[in-house]
Amino acid sequence: GIQVEQSPPDLILQEGANSTLRCNFSDSVNNLQWFHQNPWGQLINLFYIPSGTKQNGRLSATTVATERYSLLYISSSQTTDSGVYFCAVEERGGADGLTFGKGTHLIIQP
Amino acid sequence: IAGITQAPTSQILAAGRRMTLRCTQDMRHNAMYWYRQDLGLGLRLIHYSNTAGTTGKGEVPDGYSVSRANTDDFPLTLASAVPSQTSVYFCASSVNLNTEAFFGQGTRLTVV
């Protein structure tokens, strides 16, 4: 099945800093999504982005499907951005359902 | 408020017991999914359903069964729980396969 690698695994930043999270995947995809899991365990869908670029406030994401990677940008970080960020993909022609990466654990310090 | 509701929120279960985790959505989504989340392993798909009346196996289906009698409900059953099924279980739904997924709040299950 498809492999999803996220980097870095852990990231500690000061409030106000910017960050870039990366997701590499091993095969063609129909579907790529970014999720934020907050410290209470809730999973929030940030972007549905199989290709192209999207922005939502301080967050933006870019997927380059032909090169099999996606980037999540967080600008002017706030403590509420802390948590784990997951990339998940659905392989084209493969099994149904999302395959998740292991996540990037982000800590924003005040 | 529209969304996905899971029950129970948490449960401690004796090994060998039968348990059904409930999931209900009111968004009229066709596709529903069950994932388990384990430390260091991320989320893994257990079973899914792309429409009422059909189900499919995910990456880790052994020891679990599902049914999809209607659009709204997608229960997950552990016929005879084992300690390795200790995990946090998330139900999710999407309009169809390959579309944006929305997750419930999770069920923390401990099998002792």
Side-chain angles (χ1 to χ4, degrees):
Chain A
I2 194 167
Q3 304 298 311
V4 182
E5 301 289 336
Q6 290 187 243
S7 60
D10 301 282
L11 188 59
I12 301 174
L13 298 172
Q14 295 298 122
E15 204 167 18
N18 302 328
S19 59
T20 300
L21 282 55
R22 187 176 180 100
C23 172
N24 292 332
F25 43 97
S26 61
D27 211 336
S28 300
V29 299
N30 289 323
N31 175 355
L32 187 146
Q33 300 181 44
W34 283 97
F35 295 90
H36 175 219
Q37 187 168 39
N38 65 24
W40 297 270
Q42 188 178 12
L43 278 159
I44 304 297
N45 193 307
L46 298 175
F47 294 103
Y48 173 85
I49 186 165
S51 63
T53 297
K54 290 187 177 180
Q55 179 151 10
N56 184 1
R58 296 182 295 103
L59 274 59
S60 64
T62 295
T63 297
V64 184
T66 53
E67 296 186 21
R68 299 181 183 169
Y69 73 89
S70 183
L71 302 173
L72 178 68
Y73 306 96
I74 305 173
S75 64
S76 304
S77 298
Q78 300 175 358
T79 55
T80 52
D81 294 330
S82 296
V84 183
Y85 289 81
F86 289 103
C87 169
V89 303
E90 189 153 353
E91 184 179 6
R92 181 171 300 166
D96 292 321
L98 293 169
T99 298
F100 280 74
K102 290 183 170 46
T104 292
H105 186 198
L106 177 64
I107 297 174
I108 304 298
Q109 296 178 333
Chain B
I1 298 176
I4 300 174
T5 302
Q6 292 184 233
T9 302
S10 65
Q11 181 76 46
I12 299 174
L13 185 68
R17 297 295 296 269
R18 181 183 180 90
M19 174 77 189
T20 295
L21 308 185
R22 300 185 298 278
C23 176
T24 299
Q25 53 101 0
D26 59 4
M27 298 178 284
R28 307 303 294 171
H29 285 175
N30 289 312
M32 297 187 74
Y33 316 83
W34 276 104
Y35 292 87
R36 59 178 288 174
Q37 184 176 24
D38 302 290
L39 201 61
L41 296 176
L43 283 89
R44 294 177 293 168
L45 181 65
I46 305 171
H47 285 286
Y48 68 95
S49 167
N50 63 356
T51 189
T54 69
T55 63
K57 293 182 179 180
E59 180 184 353
V60 288
D62 293 343
Y64 306 95
S65 63
V66 291
S67 62
R68 187 86 183 277
N70 57 59
T71 297
D72 298 344
D73 301 300
F74 192 44
L76 176 74
T77 298
L78 289 67
S80 179
V82 295
S84 62
Q85 292 177 310
T86 293
S87 187
V88 180
Y89 290 86
F90 286 97
C91 179
S93 73
S94 59
V95 172
N96 292 303
L97 293 177
N98 296 323
T99 60
E100 189 176 6
F102 298 89
F103 281 75
Q105 81 279 17
T107 294
R108 183 174 295 276
L109 180 67
T110 304
V111 182
V112 297

